[in-house]
Amino acid sequence: MAKRVVSGMQPSGLLHLGNLFGALDNFMRLQAEHECFYFVADWHALSTNYEDTARIREYTREVLIDWLATGLDPGRSTLFIQSRVPEHAILHLLLSMITPVPWLERNPTYKEKQENLEGRDLSTYGFLGYPVLQTADILLYKGDYVPVGVDQLPHLELTREITRRFNALYKTVFPEPQALLTEIPKVPGTDGRKMSKSYNNTINLSDTEATVRAKLKTMVTDPARVRRTDKGNPDVCPVFTVHKSASQQAVIDRVNKECRTAEIGCIDCKGLLADALVARLTPIWEKRRELVQMPKLVDEVIAAGTTKASAVARQTIAEVNAAMRMG
Ligand code: TRP
Ligand code: SF4
């Protein structure tokens, strides 16, 4: 039987190059070989943003538009919105009955996020149960593979533990999902830190060419290379790291060599990177423009994805109810 791939993305902002080179390129590769379910995890976004829900709906739509513009194909992959398939909440509730609270309290991302997101009260039931909802997301479609970044590995481990517990308590309904960590590059943002919406250092898929070029001009480089005549070290330069994801091998090799000898300057080097990014993003921009002008088409894609996902989800809930002698 074909393997099932399940993954979700939170609608916490506009998608950027980090999402493209990290997750989306991977999603795209996988849709060629497997049966893929990709959804926008709007309920997960609530777990940290429940106080300010004003933009979740808008971002959910933007994420779907970015997915379609990038090349996720609704003919191959099932693309949908988590909250439109209420079976996610049903399975979440049932799994919450069998998940020991200490497993959730031990989750390293639980403590980290609570400390890092200052000013928000994350002592909620929903935030603690975040990985249980994520487990429901995956099991609802009997996912075999879950493409995620390393930061999600603790969640995936919990998913596997909850899966084993369910299968042992009732009946083997679910395969044990595996994380797929296919060499996801860490894409640095314009300030050199990891590209992330919360650092305000992103280059977005919806930026214009002028914005991309302007943002690159401000991007930090090898800090030791102050003057044009100074020799640089691409190994410590975030611009070079992005080159490695975006540029042709010949350009990467050239920068790698000519930076060290000061043959190329940072302005020209950034110009080459801008050209590569513009080449990569131009088809996405064109598709985006089309989609924004055809809101009905986007609605239809979402409706069709929801219908397909719902059919699978209902079937799984029927099997779960039977295994648990419920319903
Ligand atoms: N927690 C994931 C993230 O923040 C998003 C997510 C929600 C997810 N449900 C999922 C990922 C199910 C994979 C499978 O990136
Ligand atoms: Fe970085 Fe390029 Fe400047 Fe070298 S030439 S320091 S790789 S921006």
Side-chain angles (χ1 to χ4, degrees):
M1 233 179 32
K3 294 288 184 188
R4 286 251 176 95
V5 171
V6 180
S7 197
M9 218 182 253
Q10 284 197 46
S12 43
L14 299 167
L15 295 193
H16 50 69
L17 291 180
N19 302 119
L20 178 65
F21 299 134
L24 280 179
D25 276 344
N26 217 2
F27 282 14
M28 233 113 56
R29 252 196 314 276
L30 290 165
Q31 76 176 355
E33 291 170 41
H34 302 290
E35 193 183 348
C36 298
F37 291 80
Y38 298 129
F39 60 91
V40 183
D42 56 345
W43 275 339
H44 275 105
L46 273 185
S47 70
T48 43
N49 294 303
Y50 62 89
E51 283 180 289
D52 180 13
T53 59
R55 306 193 74 176
I56 294 180
R57 197 183 267 160
E58 171 195 334
Y59 285 146
T60 297
R61 194 172 178 88
E62 291 295 330
V63 169
L64 276 155
I65 290 175
D66 279 332
W67 282 2
L68 294 169
T70 307
L72 282 185
D73 175 359
R76 289 179 183 276
S77 301
T78 305
L79 309 176
F80 62 103
I81 300 171
Q82 184 185 35
S83 66
R84 303 253 179 117
V85 184
E87 283 78 6
H88 287 253
I90 297 176
L91 190 55
H92 169 252
L93 176 132
L94 295 172
L95 295 176
S96 77
M97 299 299 170
I98 67 165
T99 304
V101 171
W103 289 8
L104 299 172
E105 287 171 336
R106 268 206 307 270
N107 167 22
T109 49
Y110 175 64
K111 291 205 189 88
E112 265 163 43
K113 266 211 183 167
Q114 268 196 332
E115 281 156 19
N116 293 345
L117 294 179
E118 278 168 43
R120 292 188 218 180
D121 179 1
L122 294 182
S123 62
T124 59
Y125 180 50
F127 185 67
L128 178 67
Y130 183 111
V132 185
L133 181 58
Q134 183 160 342
T135 301
D137 296 338
I138 299 165
L139 296 191
L140 206 46
Y141 306 98
K142 299 193 180 175
D144 298 292
Y145 299 132
V146 186
V148 283
V150 261
D151 59 312
Q152 294 292 313
L153 282 184
H155 290 158
L156 241 285
E157 212 32 66
L158 263 165
T159 291
R160 291 160 63 85
E161 283 177 298
I162 297 171
T163 306
R164 286 194 288 269
R165 192 167 168 100
F166 182 98
N167 286 343
L169 277 170
Y170 309 113
K171 185 176 172 228
T172 304
V173 173
F174 301 115
E176 234 178 84
Q178 270 178 46
L180 276 191
L181 278 183
T182 25
E183 37 148 342
I184 294 179
K186 276 237 157 54
V187 183
T190 49
D191 62 357
R193 293 186 289 175
K194 180 183 174 202
M195 191 177 285
S196 161
K197 192 210 63 165
S198 43
Y199 295 150
N200 210 3
N201 65 0
T202 62
I203 295 175
N204 299 329
L205 302 189
S206 50
D207 282 343
T208 61
E209 174 170 349
T211 305
V212 171
R213 290 188 186 274
K215 283 182 175 175
L216 277 181
K217 285 203 179 105
T218 69
M219 186 153 180
V220 300
T221 60
D222 171 2
R225 189 170 188 196
V226 182
R227 273 173 289 261
R228 169 67 183 82
T229 48
D230 294 340
K231 290 173 181 162
N233 179 5
D235 297 331
V236 300
C237 177
V239 174
F240 186 62
T241 308
V242 182
H243 263 298
K244 285 193 278 191
S245 286
S247 294
Q248 308 263 358
Q249 194 56 46
V251 173
I252 300 169
D253 292 343
R254 178 181 161 203
V255 169
N256 195 11
K257 181 169 154 283
E258 296 187 358
C259 170
R260 293 176 204 276
T261 54
E263 279 166 274
I264 191 170
C266 294
I267 295 173
D268 289 337
C269 175
K270 287 175 169 184
L272 292 175
L273 178 57
D275 294 343
L277 288 176
V278 168
R280 176 71 213 269
L281 292 173
T282 295
I284 298 179
W285 289 331
E286 282 168 6
K287 190 84 195 286
R288 239 189 163 277
R289 221 172 291 130
E290 278 174 38
L291 290 165
V292 169
Q293 281 164 9
M294 296 187 291
K296 284 230 177 74
L297 185 100
V298 176
D299 291 341
E300 279 165 25
V301 165
I302 298 171
T306 304
T307 303
K308 270 166 65 185
S310 295
V312 178
R314 275 198 300 270
Q315 166 68 29
T316 304
I317 292 297
E319 286 175 50
V320 166
N321 276 338
M324 296 178 78
R325 300 162 186 263
M326 295 296 296

